[in-house]
Amino acid sequence: MMQTNQHWEQLTRRAFFSRSSAGIGAAALASLDSSAAPAAVDNRGAVGGLPNLPHHAPKARRAIYLFMSGAPSQMDMWDHKPAMADWYDKDLPESIRKGQRLTTMTSGQSRFPIAPSIYKFSPHGAAGTMASELIPHMAGKVDEIALVKSMYTEAINHDPAITYICTGNQLPGKASLGSWLSYGLGTENENLPAFIVMTASWTGRKEAQALYNRLWGSGYLPSKYQGVALRSSGDPVLYLSNPAGVDPAVRRRMLDSLSRLNTATADRIGDPETHARIAQYEMAFRMQTSVPDLADISDEPKYILDMYGPDVTTPGTFANCCLMSRRMAERGVRFTQIFHRGWDQHGALPKDLPNQCRDVDQPSAALLTDLRQRGMLDDTLVVWGGEFGRTIYCQGGLSKTNYGRDHHPKCFTVWLAGGGVQGGVVHGETDEFSYNVVKDPVHIHDLNATILHLMGIDDQRFTYPFLGLDQRLTGVEETRVVSEILS
């Protein structure tokens, strides 16, 4: 009786509900897409993941997402609008703006003068795809990429817009794309996280929007699926090294003791997060060997380093991050995301945008070349883009050599390459002002649905029960895979 009383004293209200819900949660997880038979498609030796995934044969085993935080100017890079030269300093017609909402940064302007791009465009590739002089290396890759010019979103400010495209919702608390992929497909390397994030340095506008870890967070998914941030200085992962005086043998004994305590706690309380914590401790121990090897690029031949450009040996640069992403892909990392900040050119665009493009142009092209020559591009998906576009009209003062652009959610450009993507394709069109989509609109949910599809997942059937809803990365509305860009 005494043991029984002690047991019930230890069983707190929280523990009771945790235990009670454990069976319900397990049943709910087991019922994910239970209407479908277990997939006949093998997940190629992956560890973890759901037993009924992938839903169909994947074209891509892994993905690398190059995220341009701050919103690149589409009409200065990819969306050529030569007619705008005749509109210099004329007001954007109301018939084009159609009363669309503005940010508070330009809503008070008395005029919305057109700012034509000052950069030269020229045709490239078999189809003569137009590309700016700012991106000569990627211009040479147009036959390998699918260029989507008709992206759009509802968000008009940075933080909700980035949260939206990364997690499927403008409000915080949802699981990120990388976490969904890690949860659904598992990992191909038990010694490295399935989802790794890098934040690169930049040379454009010094002031940049903050990036919050919710962009690579797991939200309502178990915390072990959140992205692991790789740092450019000190330990590649925070606290990866043992403290002074603690050798690997001591660390191993400590983790074994801690695991026994956590296991006892999990058995008593039934909280799945305790098991996640055990797994994370073990992963951290394995990463003490695998991550330093990953981060050491001294074994890369000179011709590879030269291909990525002069910044590649400087930790934290975009070039270095791109090379690291290829090394991660080789080692079975499921999803790598590189954030490059500083694309928010509200003013002095001709001063800052060339620097931003110089940061990313050569390394992005080199990544595609590197993957292709290793036979990896066919099953590695690469995505490049930001959270929204920029306005054709000028924010602030306008001159022939200087202008700025405000946020614009109604149209922007992304490109995709690699696993299952058809090269040399240009999908969608905008009007002559690069202000509205006039052909083949692609919502950010459609983009994420397409990424999931290429990884072997039907976004409509990929759900997780939370708050009484079957949550999806792509929201509750109907989505469309952009089949026109698929091979």
Side-chain angles (χ1 to χ4, degrees):
M1 176 65 76
M2 184 174 181
Q3 290 180 341
T4 303
N5 289 339
Q6 287 176 342
H7 169 76
W8 283 106
E9 287 171 4
Q10 292 172 352
L11 190 58
T12 63
R13 182 176 183 271
R14 178 181 178 185
F16 172 76
F17 283 111
S18 296
R19 277 189 155 187
S20 300
S21 63
I24 298 172
L29 288 173
S31 70
L32 290 176
D33 194 27
S34 58
S35 61
V41 181
D42 180 35
N43 200 6
R44 306 190 214 194
V47 178
L50 299 180
N52 58 350
L53 288 182
H55 294 126
H56 54 262
K59 294 294 184 70
R61 295 173 60 180
R62 63 193 78 82
I64 299 170
Y65 201 137
L66 312 177
F67 197 97
M68 308 296 108
S69 173
S73 176
Q74 73 277 8
M75 70 283 293
D76 289 294
M77 298 177 66
W78 290 111
D79 199 12
H80 185 38
K81 299 300 175 184
M84 290 297 95
D86 296 331
W87 279 82
Y88 172 75
D89 204 23
K90 296 178 182 178
D91 284 347
L92 178 70
E94 182 55 37
S95 61
I96 298 298
R97 190 164 78 84
K98 299 177 182 178
Q100 294 173 22
R101 65 179 178 147
L102 308 172
T103 74
T104 56
M105 291 168 284
T106 54
S107 60
Q109 290 187 182
S110 59
R111 298 183 57 219
F112 300 100
I114 299 297
S117 177
I118 65 172
Y119 300 106
K120 295 178 181 178
F121 280 68
S122 56
H124 296 268
T129 301
M130 300 299 287
S132 165
E133 62 183 319
L134 291 175
I135 46 174
H137 293 89
M138 280 308 304
K141 291 290 185 181
V142 293
D143 286 341
E144 296 185 37
I145 67 175
L147 198 62
V148 181
K149 294 185 177 182
S150 52
M151 292 296 308
Y152 73 98
T153 180
E154 290 81 19
I156 199 171
N157 288 310
H158 294 290
D159 187 60
I162 299 177
T163 304
Y164 196 11
I165 196 169
C166 287
T167 71
N169 198 293
Q170 296 187 49
L171 299 177
K174 304 292 185 177
S176 61
L177 169 60
S179 294
W180 276 105
L181 290 172
S182 175
Y183 163 69
L185 298 177
T187 181
E188 294 183 336
N189 186 338
E190 287 189 279
N191 297 321
L192 286 171
F195 177 19
I196 295 181
V197 177
M198 293 174 283
T199 302
S201 58
W202 69 99
T203 60
R205 178 187 176 189
K206 298 304 179 186
E207 300 80 15
Q209 297 295 321
L211 297 176
Y212 300 98
N213 59 12
R214 64 168 172 269
L215 302 178
W216 51 88
S218 57
Y220 37 67
L221 297 177
S223 59
K224 68 178 180 179
Y225 300 114
Q226 67 187 359
V228 173
L230 209 64
R231 306 192 314 155
S232 60
S233 62
D235 281 344
V237 177
L238 197 61
Y239 307 124
L240 188 65
S241 298
N242 290 326
V246 177
D247 61 28
V250 172
R251 172 68 73 184
R252 181 68 266 168
R253 290 197 301 272
M254 185 199 77
L255 289 177
D256 289 342
S257 298
L258 187 59
S259 178
R260 288 192 292 271
L261 291 172
N262 281 331
T263 299
T265 300
D267 290 343
R268 187 176 72 252
I269 296 177
D271 184 358
E273 281 299 307
T274 307
H275 289 291
R277 183 59 57 89
I278 295 170
Q280 286 167 329
Y281 281 135
E282 292 301 320
M283 169 63 79
F285 184 77
R286 296 192 298 271
M287 284 167 58
Q288 288 186 318
T289 299
S290 61
V291 168
D293 174 70
L294 168 69
D296 181 7
I297 64 172
S298 62
D299 59 345
E300 294 288 343
K302 184 177 185 299
Y303 79 93
I304 292 292
L305 299 178
D306 291 343
M307 186 169 64
Y308 281 90
D311 296 331
V312 70
T313 56
T314 302
T317 61
F318 188 81
N320 182 262
C321 290
C322 281
L323 176 58
M324 290 289 292
S325 71
R326 189 224 78 207
R327 293 172 66 87
M328 293 174 194
E330 284 182 309
R331 289 161 172 77
V333 173
R334 181 73 67 187
F335 188 73
T336 303
Q337 193 159 23
I338 304 172
F339 288 91
H340 185 257
R341 301 161 68 196
W343 292 88
D344 193 22
Q345 280 95 37
H346 289 276
L349 182 147
K351 171 180 174 289
D352 292 328
L353 183 60
N355 293 330
Q356 293 292 110
C357 290
R358 195 177 304 112
D359 286 347
V360 306
D361 179 44
Q362 183 174 351
S364 299
L367 175 61
L368 299 185
T369 299
D370 201 359
L371 290 169
R372 180 172 295 284
Q373 65 189 13
R374 292 168 189 271
M376 296 175 60
L377 188 58
D378 287 345
D379 60 3
T380 303
L381 174 65
V382 182
V383 183
W384 181 99
E387 68 268 33
F388 44 58
R390 306 209 78 85
T391 57
I392 188 66
Y393 64 77
C394 182
Q395 177 176 340
L398 170 64
S399 73
K400 287 285 188 179
T401 58
N402 193 30
Y403 52 89
R405 303 193 189 279
D406 199 7
H407 309 166
H408 188 59
K410 293 299 181 179
C411 64
F412 61 106
T413 299
V414 305
W415 60 254
L416 302 89
V421 173
Q422 183 178 354
V425 173
V426 177
H427 181 78
E429 293 180 16
T430 60
D431 60 27
E432 62 179 331
F433 296 87
S434 192
Y435 207 83
N436 299 293
V437 174
V438 296
K439 181 181 178 183
D440 297 328
V442 178
H443 190 268
I444 59 171
H445 282 329
D446 299 331
L447 174 65
N448 282 334
T450 303
I451 293 170
L452 291 178
H453 174 82
L454 290 169
M455 300 290 287
I457 297 174
D458 180 348
D459 72 293
Q460 300 294 297
R461 296 159 58 195
F462 190 31
T463 64
Y464 187 89
F466 182 70
L467 294 179
L469 296 175
D470 289 335
Q471 303 283 345
R472 292 203 304 253
L473 170 68
T474 53
V476 298
E477 297 180 356
E478 185 176 353
T479 56
R480 188 180 79 86
V481 172
V482 190
S483 58
E484 296 87 348
I485 69 171
L486 305 185
S487 59

